Amino acid sequence: MDRDTAEPDTGGLPGPNAARWVEYHGTHAAPSEYSHEFVWDITREADGPFVTDVDGNVLLDFTCHIGAAPLGYNNPKVLDKLAAFDLVEPMKIAGQDLYFGAGPDPDDSLVPGSSHLMERLTEVSAEYGMDTVFLSNSGAEAVENAMKVAHDHKPAAKYGYAFGGSFHGRTLGTLSLTKSKEVYTRHYPQIAGIETVPFCADRTCTAETCACGFLSESGSQLRRSLSPEGGHVNPEEVAFIVLEPIQGVGGYRFPSEAFMREVGAVSDEYDIPLIVDEIQSGIGRTGEFWAADHYDIEPDVIAAAKALRVGATVSRSELFPAEKNRLGSTFGGGDLLGSMMGTFTIEAIEEHDLLANARSRGRQAKELLRDGAHDSVVDVRGKGLMLAVEFDTPARRDAVVAEALSRGLLTLGCGKKTIRLLPPLDSTEREIDLGVSIFLEAVEAAGSVTATA
Ligand SMILES: Cc1ncc(COP(=O)(O)O)c(C=O)c1O
């Protein structure tokens, strides 16, 4: 397969082999969120955004595994580095305090591991003074540990603040912060003391025009709830404010400058640690390394995962517990390959200037999507290659996802009636042209779907 000339080529999805694999998988797998009609064949050709399925269909993948494969498939920008090593068994490192070395000197090590990944993460977070990392296995664990760090730092705290529409993971701790869909949380026990405030509903809003109820000319809901006059929460007792700088699962919701400035100001003024969940939005997806970098806020803790292949809680050393064994994880940092892939991904972003590429390819995609927008499109939005198209109804959105898939373009829904597009960070102009033109054909084809709510 040649990425420069590849095109989607499908003969009907799901094909018979995919149906067999899905049925086999479903025999023993607990029902989960997604049931893709496409099954990637890891023995067949794939390059960047192009992938071959078990029936030989070639697809253009604009999901990047929800950002967990930020450079698509078999990308030489990371693969060449991996191939240079005569790798040993990709063992799991048992115990957070055990790590591997490769040769006598970490500075000259050819094989990066979890120690190098932590160094890279602190380099890209230096503007926030962050110098310390705790590695774990998943996004949820990265957020859980951020909560623990914040509570350890403020032992008397009884409260935390989260935002409407949020998604922070599926462990019991993170579900207490997750406010997007009730299917995630129904009947599960909640951590006490989590206060919920609205998340911005209009990315251009000001205090005068705020539509979500968060901002008003007399101050924000967050600020009023903490006020000595009339508030019901003592700021001294608040361990953290946690937010996704751009909401993912909740619908690719981009907050306004005014909203973010106020969240940052309250965190500063009341000395409440601000945890930013960058699990979907981080590692270059938005054209900055962290989505928080777009806004006037100063995060105290960053939770990352997905594109890193491991979970990471990043902060300043003074916030982390000094006591040994306060945090821990048997497999924190993943296996030998996990941390290495995370390190190579950060290096690829830097060596190939992929932040700039994400910004320019994102601009290209937004322009094309806006120019070609059908009447059913309510909004086209995005930063870098974290892109979204919102439709008039959920039925229309679902029809577009299906029409795109039948043409060989993989997309993902989010929120109630939005499609998210996450092309690889090194997407080319041709790939964006191709993907958007297929997407616009799909929107046209779905145009006749009855617009029911
Ligand atoms: C913003 C955000 N936070 C947390 C998580 C949870 O990550 P994980 O599924 O790795 O536990 C996700 C996963 O989609 C996410 O998008």
Side-chain angles (χ1 to χ4, degrees):
M1 177 183 284
D2 179 359
R3 179 174 176 176
D4 292 337
T5 52
E7 302 234 348
D9 183 7
T10 65
L13 290 154
N17 297 337
R20 239 191 311 274
W21 274 99
V22 170
E23 192 189 338
Y24 173 60
H25 180 82
T27 313
H28 299 296
S32 186
E33 190 164 18
Y34 299 109
S35 54
H36 286 302
E37 287 166 290
F38 125 90
V39 176
W40 169 34
D41 189 336
I42 56 167
T43 66
R44 293 199 191 210
E45 286 185 311
D47 192 359
F50 297 100
V51 59
T52 311
D53 86 345
V54 288
D55 292 285
N57 296 303
V58 176
L59 290 114
L60 176 54
D61 184 346
F62 269 17
T63 71
C64 277
H65 296 213
I66 329 180
L71 297 173
Y73 302 87
N74 293 339
N75 197 312
K77 293 185 177 72
V78 289
L79 214 58
D80 285 354
K81 291 193 179 188
L82 273 187
F85 305 128
D86 187 11
L87 286 177
V88 295
E89 177 197 353
M91 65 182 293
K92 286 251 183 189
I93 310 296
Q96 183 74 22
D97 295 327
L98 300 174
Y99 20 80
F100 70 85
D105 183 351
D107 289 336
D108 291 333
S109 172
L110 279 177
V111 183
S114 52
S115 317
H116 296 90
L117 176 60
M118 291 191 277
E119 186 183 10
R120 292 285 104 76
L121 283 168
T122 57
E123 282 163 6
V124 293
S125 315
E127 68 185 287
Y128 304 122
M130 296 184 181
D131 55 6
T132 305
V133 183
F134 177 77
L135 293 179
S136 52
N137 301 278
S138 65
E141 283 178 72
V143 177
E144 287 268 341
N145 281 288
M147 293 162 79
K148 284 170 67 178
V149 165
H151 273 286
D152 188 84
H153 183 67
K154 255 181 152 179
K158 299 189 200 126
Y159 299 99
Y161 276 84
F163 290 83
S166 55
F167 183 87
H168 294 291
R170 291 170 177 276
T171 55
L172 286 181
T174 56
L175 279 180
S176 306
L177 312 175
T178 289
K179 309 291 170 188
S180 39
K181 294 187 194 150
E182 77 67 77
V183 63
Y184 302 143
T185 50
R186 188 188 326 122
H187 304 322
Y188 295 143
Q190 297 271 308
I191 293 180
I194 302 299
E195 297 282 316
T196 308
V197 285
F199 189 80
C200 183
D202 170 3
R203 62 184 180 274
T204 62
C205 80
T206 60
E208 294 77 41
T209 64
C210 167
C212 71
F214 181 78
L215 292 174
S216 71
E217 283 170 59
S218 60
S220 64
Q221 244 189 60
L222 176 61
R223 190 181 288 275
R224 282 196 301 275
S225 71
L226 295 166
S227 163
E229 292 101 41
H232 63 283
V233 176
N234 176 354
E236 306 270 301
E237 293 181 340
V238 182
F240 59 81
I241 300 168
V242 60
L243 98 162
E244 294 160 86
I246 296 163
Q247 285 195 341
V249 172
Y252 273 33
R253 298 166 77 198
F254 293 78
S256 68
E257 304 285 332
F259 172 89
M260 289 297 258
R261 206 174 307 115
E262 172 66 0
V263 172
V266 171
S267 151
D268 274 359
E269 281 168 44
Y270 291 104
D271 200 18
I272 301 171
L274 178 60
I275 302 173
V276 294
D277 178 340
E278 294 268 9
I279 286 149
Q280 196 153 158
S281 58
I283 325 292
R285 177 53 50 196
T286 65
E288 293 289 344
F289 198 87
W290 302 117
D293 300 346
H294 290 278
Y295 297 101
D296 191 7
I297 57 170
E298 183 87 12
D300 295 291
V301 187
I302 296 176
K306 286 195 191 286
L308 287 181
R309 309 292 171 106
V310 297
T313 307
V314 189
S315 185
R316 298 186 298 275
S317 55
E318 75 266 15
L319 255 79
F320 273 95
E323 194 181 343
K324 278 195 186 302
N325 240 348
R326 194 83 172 122
L327 304 177
S329 163
T330 298
F331 292 142
D335 60 31
L336 199 147
L337 280 177
S339 284
M340 212 183 278
M341 286 293 288
T343 309
F344 291 153
T345 299
I346 297 176
E347 286 178 4
I349 290 171
E350 285 166 351
E351 286 163 14
H352 300 276
D353 210 2
L354 297 186
L355 297 182
N357 190 63
R359 288 195 290 271
S360 49
R361 296 285 72 83
R363 265 195 304 277
Q364 177 196 350
K366 273 190 295 189
E367 272 168 29
L368 292 170
L369 287 164
R370 283 180 183 145
D371 286 353
H374 184 270
D375 292 348
S376 59
V377 172
V378 177
D379 190 25
V380 172
R381 54 185 178 263
K383 283 193 191 292
L385 286 169
M386 186 166 186
L387 299 160
V389 181
E390 185 170 342
F391 291 88
D392 51 356
T393 66
R396 183 102 58 189
R397 185 272 308 273
D398 294 347
V400 175
V401 172
E403 291 289 348
L405 182 66
S406 74
R407 288 165 173 76
L409 176 70
L410 274 179
T411 63
L412 268 176
C414 63
K416 293 195 174 69
K417 49 193 178 72
T418 300
I419 292 180
R420 48 187 153 171
L421 300 172
L422 296 89
L425 296 180
D426 68 341
S427 291
T428 63
E429 195 174 340
R430 182 188 88 88
E431 289 161 0
I432 296 294
D433 273 342
L434 183 63
V436 172
S437 70
I438 298 172
F439 187 81
L440 293 175
E441 277 176 33
V443 178
E444 205 61 47
S448 56
V449 168
T450 318
T452 45

